[in-house]
Amino acid sequence: METTHKHPPYLLIWLYLAILTVAELALAFELPISRNMKLLLLLFLAVWKALLVAMFFMHLKFERWNLRILAIIPVPLALIFIAAGMSEHIW
Amino acid sequence: MSTVAATAHAVHAHHDDRSFVRKYVFSTDHKIIGIQFLFLSLFSLLVGGVLAMQIRWQEGFPGQPMPGGKLLPETMASGGVLLPEYYIELVTMHGTFMVFFAIMLLLVGVYANFLIPLKLGAHDMAFPRINMASFWSAFVAGILMFASMFVPEGAARAGWTMYTPLSARHDLSGSSLGQELWSISIIFFGLSSVLGSLNYISTVINNRAPGMTWFRMPLSVWALFITAILGLLAVPVLAGAAIMLLFEQILGTHFFDPGAGGQALLWQHLFWFFGHPEVYILILPAMGMVSDLVANGSRKPIFGYHSMVFAICGIAFLGWIVWGHHMFVSGMNPTLGSTFMVSTLLIAVPSAIKVFNWMGTMWRGNIQFHTPMLNAIGFVAMFTIGGLSGIFMAATPLDMFIHDTYFIVAHLHYVLFGGSLFAIFGAIPYWYPKMFGRLMSDRWGKVHFYLTFLFYNLTFFPMHITGMAGHMRRIYDPTVYDFLKPYQPMNEFISISAFLLFATQIIFFVNFWWSLFKGEKAPLNPWHDNGLEWTLPSPAPHGNWETPPTVYRGPYEFSAPGVSEDYLPQNRKLPTDREPALAPAHGD
Amino acid sequence: MTHAMASAMRPPFPAERGVDVYNKKLGMWVFLASEVMFFAALIGSYVILRFGAPGEWARPGIVLNIKITAFNTFLLICSSVSMVKAYAAISDGDPRKMRFWLLMTIIGGAMFVGIQVYEYFHLVEHGFTPAGVREGSELAELVKDGTLPAATMGLYGSTFFTMTGFHGFHVTCGVISMAYLYFVKALPGKITPQDYAGIEVVGLYWHFVDLVWIILFTIVYLI
């Protein structure tokens, strides 16, 4: 029994990515925002772009939940490592 | 059923007409690759042992010319007396060879490769050619590491843990090429490990025979699977660190250089973030195999199978957040240190659960005291001692005193030798028939076990005492310290026990090699075990099964009621068994 | 997406449904998990070093060329789109279109590498190296007049070249894999709507490489 699944709107995602990149550049160089705010917003934008690529181009959104877990497992480990290393400089 | 037939590859269990080179050298057969790893790792074990003998000579008899020492060049030994620079190379290389090339390759390279497809009813690993690449990458790494001992200025000298800045700067360590080769070798080793891990994980997830559900897998496979996940995620961090160290050595980068804003402690965080999951890589497969051996040797199901699985997962999970306990005295953030103390104390719990479950398995069992079972029982006892000394170290205030002393050396040898190596000494004769079609001598196996057990305890137990007294690790001559002089007789005792321990291993090596040619031919199932591998001829043929077996039960149905034998293979269908339902495939 | 998936593209023995992907795809996802940890070591070290640095970090845009790199980022994102279009084409049953988009991806990837290499030459010429700022170079002047902070330039150079260098290495491996796929498999018609595992698997790798660059571009060039 053959079923046909629609593709996600790749060109639309590409447009979002382009817009977000422009937003990042504007944020980094043009907008008069405080440094810490800038850092937070830039990281947020970067993670958003990364998620778009992972969910739609890598099709994670359409895979089983346990594959998404497999893919995400390294992230908390990396964050633990970074947090521990950074804590060396706040005591 | 047609799905199974359609997906079974056509390559296997037919007349094998490949050339010698394709069959035995550049082989993609997981069993041959496992045996290749066996030869590489046994050689590395020998190298590590020879290095240890020289270390023990120096520690027991400092300043005295070593027998055979006059054969060493003047850069290593002056008139037969080992030089301090050479001593620190010995210590570094002993750790490196033993941890990476002996134990890791024996537990994972050999047994993950050999056992996983056989115990799951698969034809081979998910990616046989990547498996081959994994072996040859490890081989290249081994060659580089071995060669590093013979280059000008000698081998790496900063301990197997390679702390910076000693490891990063030639002007501090005195070793340049040797140090760089260490980094390069480890990068190749890391590649081998990651390639292997991705194979083992994919095979366990996707390549199980019909009916082999997760909770019907043997504990050896569970342990190897979880170990592969640890390796997959931890070893790349080591590779990254080794790359950074290499760049520090040859490109003049400043990651670890405080003078240029870098952080020497960064290396320790990177290394131990890998290093702690690494030590669980070094013990979990041993625990898994011991579970198989103990259940078989007791003729009883494993006590608490599910809790054993959860304990393995718990150890692996907690293992990511304890690495700082290797760094308590490094000057790290003390608050961070105390979080590590808590998590480290916690991780004792799942390990203890496993020990109790092994004891519960043996309780009122019909114990068969053959060589594999003896070694498995030895594992349980010695690992317990090693684990108990670990509790001392978990307590940070106590660790302040015993860090970098022989107390730590005692602990690590109790878990790595008393633990992992005894498990290996049990596993090798156990699966030898399936590998080589012959049996090792059980009588000489027992002699080897008893003598090894004796000399091993005589060697390593006193180290708890000297360590508590303040005997530091990695020092060239303990007698320069007045407070250590009273312990020198104990050091001599340890050294002599170590020499006898090493000599005893000759029995094992002779048994191994002689049995390859003259050992008794093995039947299908010499140990009356339930695993799928025992349904194949000894040795197992290329491709394993024509059609994969169907599994009806778990692997520990020993002394089951209603069956005349005291074992019940996983694939034997009883009148009361139903065929396993195959899950619907994607999109159906 | 049609479901004419043959034996090559379904899990071998469906003992349980599991993650429900065929071996090659599972293997690639597992491999990518290890790659995340590898980049986590390099990028994590950068974050830790920068956070604990004994002084100010160089302000963005002074050493590194933002315009060219922004274009390069855009290029890599476009090549990710062309890759997914190649995948969509073959899964919809159009090998010709797949070959076209695959070729576009290879060109995009190769251009990215080329531009990065050009940038590296440029930077080294101006005095920026993995060991920091070279004595007597143009950048050394900027350090002298205070535009660039002396205390952290060594770290800046070390982390920049290591992170972007290994990313570039991964991109290069991707381009080579895609070239192999194109010339050895796609052109002779060995990639079919029944078995396009190669495209899907290499595609995953390529998207991952793009994803890492999205993170790198932000935290190395813009912050």
Side-chain angles (χ1 to χ4, degrees), chain C residues 83 102-103 105-107 110 171-188 191 202 206:
Chain C
M83 185 74 219
L102 182 58
L103 190 60
T105 312
I106 295 172
I107 292 172
V171 176
T172 308
C173 287
V175 171
I176 293 174
S177 305
M178 289 189 297
Y180 170 82
L181 207 64
Y182 184 76
F183 290 106
V184 178
K185 293 280 164 84
L187 277 187
I191 301 183
V202 169
W206 191 249

PDB file of all heavy atoms in Angstrom, chain C residues 83 102-103 105-107 110 171-188 191 202 206:
ATOM      1  N   MET C  83      20.780  20.300  -1.412  1.00  0.00           N
ATOM      2  CA  MET C  83      20.913  18.898  -1.023  1.00  0.00           C
ATOM      3  C   MET C  83      19.540  18.307  -0.713  1.00  0.00           C
ATOM      4  O   MET C  83      19.219  17.200  -1.141  1.00  0.00           O
ATOM      5  CB  MET C  83      21.810  18.789   0.214  1.00  0.00           C
ATOM      6  CG  MET C  83      22.099  17.363   0.618  1.00  0.00           C
ATOM      7  SD  MET C  83      23.266  16.615  -0.506  1.00  0.00           S
ATOM      8  CE  MET C  83      22.632  14.981  -0.660  1.00  0.00           C
ATOM      9  N   LEU C 102      22.276  17.640  -6.801  1.00  0.00           N
ATOM     10  CA  LEU C 102      23.490  17.117  -6.147  1.00  0.00           C
ATOM     11  C   LEU C 102      24.715  17.859  -6.666  1.00  0.00           C
ATOM     12  O   LEU C 102      25.586  18.265  -5.894  1.00  0.00           O
ATOM     13  CB  LEU C 102      23.619  15.607  -6.392  1.00  0.00           C
ATOM     14  CG  LEU C 102      24.817  14.907  -5.735  1.00  0.00           C
ATOM     15  CD1 LEU C 102      24.806  15.094  -4.223  1.00  0.00           C
ATOM     16  CD2 LEU C 102      24.820  13.420  -6.075  1.00  0.00           C
ATOM     17  N   LEU C 103      24.749  18.071  -7.983  1.00  0.00           N
ATOM     18  CA  LEU C 103      25.869  18.804  -8.570  1.00  0.00           C
ATOM     19  C   LEU C 103      25.933  20.227  -8.015  1.00  0.00           C
ATOM     20  O   LEU C 103      27.004  20.732  -7.682  1.00  0.00           O
ATOM     21  CB  LEU C 103      25.731  18.821 -10.095  1.00  0.00           C
ATOM     22  CG  LEU C 103      26.942  19.351 -10.864  1.00  0.00           C
ATOM     23  CD1 LEU C 103      28.172  18.504 -10.582  1.00  0.00           C
ATOM     24  CD2 LEU C 103      26.659  19.367 -12.369  1.00  0.00           C
ATOM     25  N   THR C 105      24.956  21.182  -5.153  1.00  0.00           N
ATOM     26  CA  THR C 105      25.445  21.098  -3.772  1.00  0.00           C
ATOM     27  C   THR C 105      26.962  20.964  -3.738  1.00  0.00           C
ATOM     28  O   THR C 105      27.638  21.619  -2.941  1.00  0.00           O
ATOM     29  CB  THR C 105      24.810  19.900  -3.046  1.00  0.00           C
ATOM     30  OG1 THR C 105      23.407  19.900  -3.263  1.00  0.00           O
ATOM     31  CG2 THR C 105      25.093  19.946  -1.563  1.00  0.00           C
ATOM     32  N   ILE C 106      27.479  20.114  -4.620  1.00  0.00           N
ATOM     33  CA  ILE C 106      28.936  19.921  -4.669  1.00  0.00           C
ATOM     34  C   ILE C 106      29.619  21.241  -4.995  1.00  0.00           C
ATOM     35  O   ILE C 106      30.608  21.621  -4.345  1.00  0.00           O
ATOM     36  CB  ILE C 106      29.307  18.855  -5.720  1.00  0.00           C
ATOM     37  CG1 ILE C 106      28.761  17.494  -5.313  1.00  0.00           C
ATOM     38  CG2 ILE C 106      30.817  18.776  -5.895  1.00  0.00           C
ATOM     39  CD1 ILE C 106      28.909  16.434  -6.379  1.00  0.00           C
ATOM     40  N   ILE C 107      29.065  21.966  -5.974  1.00  0.00           N
ATOM     41  CA  ILE C 107      29.674  23.244  -6.365  1.00  0.00           C
ATOM     42  C   ILE C 107      29.621  24.217  -5.190  1.00  0.00           C
ATOM     43  O   ILE C 107      30.610  24.885  -4.867  1.00  0.00           O
ATOM     44  CB  ILE C 107      28.951  23.826  -7.604  1.00  0.00           C
ATOM     45  CG1 ILE C 107      29.238  22.938  -8.821  1.00  0.00           C
ATOM     46  CG2 ILE C 107      29.403  25.255  -7.860  1.00  0.00           C
ATOM     47  CD1 ILE C 107      28.435  23.295 -10.041  1.00  0.00           C
ATOM     48  N   ALA C 110      32.149  23.145  -2.548  1.00  0.00           N
ATOM     49  CA  ALA C 110      33.525  23.387  -2.987  1.00  0.00           C
ATOM     50  C   ALA C 110      33.847  24.876  -2.934  1.00  0.00           C
ATOM     51  O   ALA C 110      34.954  25.271  -2.539  1.00  0.00           O
ATOM     52  CB  ALA C 110      33.733  22.850  -4.399  1.00  0.00           C
ATOM     53  N   VAL C 171      33.717  19.741   6.043  1.00  0.00           N
ATOM     54  CA  VAL C 171      33.066  20.146   4.794  1.00  0.00           C
ATOM     55  C   VAL C 171      33.766  19.482   3.611  1.00  0.00           C
ATOM     56  O   VAL C 171      33.115  18.963   2.697  1.00  0.00           O
ATOM     57  CB  VAL C 171      33.089  21.676   4.625  1.00  0.00           C
ATOM     58  CG1 VAL C 171      32.494  22.069   3.283  1.00  0.00           C
ATOM     59  CG2 VAL C 171      32.328  22.347   5.737  1.00  0.00           C
ATOM     60  N   THR C 172      35.092  19.473   3.650  1.00  0.00           N
ATOM     61  CA  THR C 172      35.856  18.865   2.561  1.00  0.00           C
ATOM     62  C   THR C 172      35.517  17.393   2.418  1.00  0.00           C
ATOM     63  O   THR C 172      35.294  16.896   1.313  1.00  0.00           O
ATOM     64  CB  THR C 172      37.363  19.042   2.813  1.00  0.00           C
ATOM     65  OG1 THR C 172      37.638  20.416   3.063  1.00  0.00           O
ATOM     66  CG2 THR C 172      38.170  18.559   1.620  1.00  0.00           C
ATOM     67  N   CYS C 173      35.477  16.693   3.560  1.00  0.00           N
ATOM     68  CA  CYS C 173      35.092  15.270   3.511  1.00  0.00           C
ATOM     69  C   CYS C 173      33.703  15.128   2.904  1.00  0.00           C
ATOM     70  O   CYS C 173      33.435  14.189   2.143  1.00  0.00           O
ATOM     71  CB  CYS C 173      35.090  14.657   4.908  1.00  0.00           C
ATOM     72  SG  CYS C 173      36.732  14.400   5.561  1.00  0.00           S
ATOM     73  N   GLY C 174      32.803  16.054   3.226  1.00  0.00           N
ATOM     74  CA  GLY C 174      31.458  16.019   2.669  1.00  0.00           C
ATOM     75  C   GLY C 174      31.464  16.205   1.170  1.00  0.00           C
ATOM     76  O   GLY C 174      30.779  15.484   0.427  1.00  0.00           O
ATOM     77  N   VAL C 175      32.258  17.167   0.702  1.00  0.00           N
ATOM     78  CA  VAL C 175      32.329  17.422  -0.742  1.00  0.00           C
ATOM     79  C   VAL C 175      32.875  16.187  -1.466  1.00  0.00           C
ATOM     80  O   VAL C 175      32.350  15.772  -2.514  1.00  0.00           O
ATOM     81  CB  VAL C 175      33.212  18.655  -1.034  1.00  0.00           C
ATOM     82  CG1 VAL C 175      33.480  18.795  -2.508  1.00  0.00           C
ATOM     83  CG2 VAL C 175      32.535  19.919  -0.516  1.00  0.00           C
ATOM     84  N   ILE C 176      33.904  15.575  -0.885  1.00  0.00           N
ATOM     85  CA  ILE C 176      34.486  14.381  -1.509  1.00  0.00           C
ATOM     86  C   ILE C 176      33.451  13.252  -1.545  1.00  0.00           C
ATOM     87  O   ILE C 176      33.285  12.563  -2.562  1.00  0.00           O
ATOM     88  CB  ILE C 176      35.750  13.938  -0.742  1.00  0.00           C
ATOM     89  CG1 ILE C 176      36.852  14.985  -0.903  1.00  0.00           C
ATOM     90  CG2 ILE C 176      36.240  12.573  -1.232  1.00  0.00           C
ATOM     91  CD1 ILE C 176      38.082  14.726  -0.070  1.00  0.00           C
ATOM     92  N   SER C 177      32.717  13.070  -0.429  1.00  0.00           N
ATOM     93  CA  SER C 177      31.689  12.016  -0.399  1.00  0.00           C
ATOM     94  C   SER C 177      30.629  12.266  -1.456  1.00  0.00           C
ATOM     95  O   SER C 177      30.176  11.338  -2.140  1.00  0.00           O
ATOM     96  CB  SER C 177      30.996  11.967   0.959  1.00  0.00           C
ATOM     97  OG  SER C 177      31.927  11.815   1.975  1.00  0.00           O
ATOM     98  N   MET C 178      30.216  13.530  -1.585  1.00  0.00           N
ATOM     99  CA  MET C 178      29.175  13.841  -2.565  1.00  0.00           C
ATOM    100  C   MET C 178      29.698  13.653  -3.973  1.00  0.00           C
ATOM    101  O   MET C 178      28.964  13.188  -4.862  1.00  0.00           O
ATOM    102  CB  MET C 178      28.676  15.272  -2.363  1.00  0.00           C
ATOM    103  CG  MET C 178      27.862  15.421  -1.090  1.00  0.00           C
ATOM    104  SD  MET C 178      27.051  17.011  -0.963  1.00  0.00           S
ATOM    105  CE  MET C 178      28.440  18.099  -0.896  1.00  0.00           C
ATOM    106  N   ALA C 179      30.962  13.999  -4.179  1.00  0.00           N
ATOM    107  CA  ALA C 179      31.541  13.804  -5.508  1.00  0.00           C
ATOM    108  C   ALA C 179      31.569  12.320  -5.855  1.00  0.00           C
ATOM    109  O   ALA C 179      31.219  11.902  -6.961  1.00  0.00           O
ATOM    110  CB  ALA C 179      32.951  14.392  -5.560  1.00  0.00           C
ATOM    111  N   TYR C 180      31.955  11.507  -4.865  1.00  0.00           N
ATOM    112  CA  TYR C 180      31.939  10.050  -5.076  1.00  0.00           C
ATOM    113  C   TYR C 180      30.529   9.591  -5.417  1.00  0.00           C
ATOM    114  O   TYR C 180      30.309   8.851  -6.377  1.00  0.00           O
ATOM    115  CB  TYR C 180      32.428   9.349  -3.802  1.00  0.00           C
ATOM    116  CG  TYR C 180      32.232   7.852  -3.811  1.00  0.00           C
ATOM    117  CD1 TYR C 180      33.145   7.007  -4.447  1.00  0.00           C
ATOM    118  CD2 TYR C 180      31.121   7.276  -3.196  1.00  0.00           C
ATOM    119  CE1 TYR C 180      32.954   5.642  -4.457  1.00  0.00           C
ATOM    120  CE2 TYR C 180      30.929   5.915  -3.214  1.00  0.00           C
ATOM    121  CZ  TYR C 180      31.844   5.094  -3.843  1.00  0.00           C
ATOM    122  OH  TYR C 180      31.642   3.741  -3.864  1.00  0.00           O
ATOM    123  N   LEU C 181      29.568  10.089  -4.639  1.00  0.00           N
ATOM    124  CA  LEU C 181      28.173   9.713  -4.852  1.00  0.00           C
ATOM    125  C   LEU C 181      27.738  10.106  -6.258  1.00  0.00           C
ATOM    126  O   LEU C 181      27.053   9.360  -6.954  1.00  0.00           O
ATOM    127  CB  LEU C 181      27.316  10.435  -3.821  1.00  0.00           C
ATOM    128  CG  LEU C 181      26.018   9.775  -3.415  1.00  0.00           C
ATOM    129  CD1 LEU C 181      26.291   8.458  -2.736  1.00  0.00           C
ATOM    130  CD2 LEU C 181      25.265  10.695  -2.463  1.00  0.00           C
ATOM    131  N   TYR C 182      28.167  11.292  -6.701  1.00  0.00           N
ATOM    132  CA  TYR C 182      27.732  11.798  -7.992  1.00  0.00           C
ATOM    133  C   TYR C 182      28.330  10.994  -9.131  1.00  0.00           C
ATOM    134  O   TYR C 182      27.625  10.480  -9.997  1.00  0.00           O
ATOM    135  CB  TYR C 182      28.115  13.276  -8.127  1.00  0.00           C
ATOM    136  CG  TYR C 182      27.604  13.909  -9.397  1.00  0.00           C
ATOM    137  CD1 TYR C 182      26.263  14.253  -9.509  1.00  0.00           C
ATOM    138  CD2 TYR C 182      28.446  14.155 -10.471  1.00  0.00           C
ATOM    139  CE1 TYR C 182      25.775  14.821 -10.671  1.00  0.00           C
ATOM    140  CE2 TYR C 182      27.969  14.724 -11.634  1.00  0.00           C
ATOM    141  CZ  TYR C 182      26.630  15.065 -11.724  1.00  0.00           C
ATOM    142  OH  TYR C 182      26.147  15.622 -12.877  1.00  0.00           O
ATOM    143  N   PHE C 183      29.666  10.858  -9.096  1.00  0.00           N
ATOM    144  CA  PHE C 183      30.335  10.255 -10.250  1.00  0.00           C
ATOM    145  C   PHE C 183      30.233   8.741 -10.265  1.00  0.00           C
ATOM    146  O   PHE C 183      30.088   8.122 -11.316  1.00  0.00           O
ATOM    147  CB  PHE C 183      31.799  10.692 -10.300  1.00  0.00           C
ATOM    148  CG  PHE C 183      31.953  12.139 -10.663  1.00  0.00           C
ATOM    149  CD1 PHE C 183      32.308  13.075  -9.711  1.00  0.00           C
ATOM    150  CD2 PHE C 183      31.702  12.575 -11.956  1.00  0.00           C
ATOM    151  CE1 PHE C 183      32.425  14.422 -10.043  1.00  0.00           C
ATOM    152  CE2 PHE C 183      31.808  13.911 -12.298  1.00  0.00           C
ATOM    153  CZ  PHE C 183      32.168  14.836 -11.347  1.00  0.00           C
ATOM    154  N   VAL C 184      30.306   8.129  -9.090  1.00  0.00           N
ATOM    155  CA  VAL C 184      30.342   6.660  -9.055  1.00  0.00           C
ATOM    156  C   VAL C 184      28.951   6.048  -8.938  1.00  0.00           C
ATOM    157  O   VAL C 184      28.709   4.935  -9.377  1.00  0.00           O
ATOM    158  CB  VAL C 184      31.226   6.178  -7.876  1.00  0.00           C
ATOM    159  CG1 VAL C 184      31.246   4.674  -7.773  1.00  0.00           C
ATOM    160  CG2 VAL C 184      32.632   6.717  -8.023  1.00  0.00           C
ATOM    161  N   LYS C 185      28.010   6.777  -8.342  1.00  0.00           N
ATOM    162  CA  LYS C 185      26.693   6.167  -8.124  1.00  0.00           C
ATOM    163  C   LYS C 185      25.593   6.865  -8.935  1.00  0.00           C
ATOM    164  O   LYS C 185      24.815   6.222  -9.605  1.00  0.00           O
ATOM    165  CB  LYS C 185      26.335   6.222  -6.626  1.00  0.00           C
ATOM    166  CG  LYS C 185      27.228   5.336  -5.753  1.00  0.00           C
ATOM    167  CD  LYS C 185      26.772   3.900  -5.826  1.00  0.00           C
ATOM    168  CE  LYS C 185      27.809   2.917  -5.316  1.00  0.00           C
ATOM    169  NZ  LYS C 185      27.799   2.731  -3.881  1.00  0.00           N
ATOM    170  N   ALA C 186      25.527   8.193  -8.837  1.00  0.00           N
ATOM    171  CA  ALA C 186      24.390   8.876  -9.452  1.00  0.00           C
ATOM    172  C   ALA C 186      24.454   8.851 -10.975  1.00  0.00           C
ATOM    173  O   ALA C 186      23.480   8.498 -11.643  1.00  0.00           O
ATOM    174  CB  ALA C 186      24.310  10.305  -8.949  1.00  0.00           C
ATOM    175  N   LEU C 187      25.604   9.230 -11.543  1.00  0.00           N
ATOM    176  CA  LEU C 187      25.705   9.290 -13.007  1.00  0.00           C
ATOM    177  C   LEU C 187      25.417   7.951 -13.676  1.00  0.00           C
ATOM    178  O   LEU C 187      24.648   7.894 -14.624  1.00  0.00           O
ATOM    179  CB  LEU C 187      27.088   9.821 -13.436  1.00  0.00           C
ATOM    180  CG  LEU C 187      27.219  11.349 -13.428  1.00  0.00           C
ATOM    181  CD1 LEU C 187      28.550  11.772 -14.020  1.00  0.00           C
ATOM    182  CD2 LEU C 187      26.079  11.994 -14.206  1.00  0.00           C
ATOM    183  N   PRO C 188      26.024   6.834 -13.187  1.00  0.00           N
ATOM    184  CA  PRO C 188      25.692   5.542 -13.817  1.00  0.00           C
ATOM    185  C   PRO C 188      24.305   5.026 -13.461  1.00  0.00           C
ATOM    186  O   PRO C 188      23.976   3.897 -13.770  1.00  0.00           O
ATOM    187  CB  PRO C 188      26.774   4.594 -13.265  1.00  0.00           C
ATOM    188  CG  PRO C 188      27.747   5.426 -12.542  1.00  0.00           C
ATOM    189  CD  PRO C 188      27.088   6.700 -12.191  1.00  0.00           C
ATOM    190  N   ILE C 191      21.556   5.224  -8.307  1.00  0.00           N
ATOM    191  CA  ILE C 191      20.664   5.744  -7.261  1.00  0.00           C
ATOM    192  C   ILE C 191      19.277   5.822  -7.864  1.00  0.00           C
ATOM    193  O   ILE C 191      19.041   6.532  -8.844  1.00  0.00           O
ATOM    194  CB  ILE C 191      21.122   7.127  -6.774  1.00  0.00           C
ATOM    195  CG1 ILE C 191      22.550   7.029  -6.232  1.00  0.00           C
ATOM    196  CG2 ILE C 191      20.191   7.641  -5.696  1.00  0.00           C
ATOM    197  CD1 ILE C 191      23.072   8.321  -5.662  1.00  0.00           C
ATOM    198  N   VAL C 202      24.190  10.854   3.065  1.00  0.00           N
ATOM    199  CA  VAL C 202      25.159  11.929   2.850  1.00  0.00           C
ATOM    200  C   VAL C 202      24.492  13.279   3.094  1.00  0.00           C
ATOM    201  O   VAL C 202      25.103  14.218   3.617  1.00  0.00           O
ATOM    202  CB  VAL C 202      25.758  11.845   1.422  1.00  0.00           C
ATOM    203  CG1 VAL C 202      26.549  13.089   1.096  1.00  0.00           C
ATOM    204  CG2 VAL C 202      26.662  10.642   1.312  1.00  0.00           C
ATOM    205  N   TRP C 206      25.647  16.338   5.445  1.00  0.00           N
ATOM    206  CA  TRP C 206      25.829  17.689   4.904  1.00  0.00           C
ATOM    207  C   TRP C 206      25.040  18.713   5.702  1.00  0.00           C
ATOM    208  O   TRP C 206      25.523  19.805   6.009  1.00  0.00           O
ATOM    209  CB  TRP C 206      25.409  17.712   3.427  1.00  0.00           C
ATOM    210  CG  TRP C 206      25.804  18.972   2.767  1.00  0.00           C
ATOM    211  CD1 TRP C 206      24.986  19.969   2.327  1.00  0.00           C
ATOM    212  CD2 TRP C 206      27.148  19.410   2.485  1.00  0.00           C
ATOM    213  NE1 TRP C 206      25.719  20.996   1.799  1.00  0.00           N
ATOM    214  CE2 TRP C 206      27.045  20.670   1.889  1.00  0.00           C
ATOM    215  CE3 TRP C 206      28.408  18.842   2.688  1.00  0.00           C
ATOM    216  CZ2 TRP C 206      28.164  21.389   1.479  1.00  0.00           C
ATOM    217  CZ3 TRP C 206      29.517  19.560   2.289  1.00  0.00           C
ATOM    218  CH2 TRP C 206      29.390  20.817   1.689  1.00  0.00           C
TER     219      TRP C 206
END
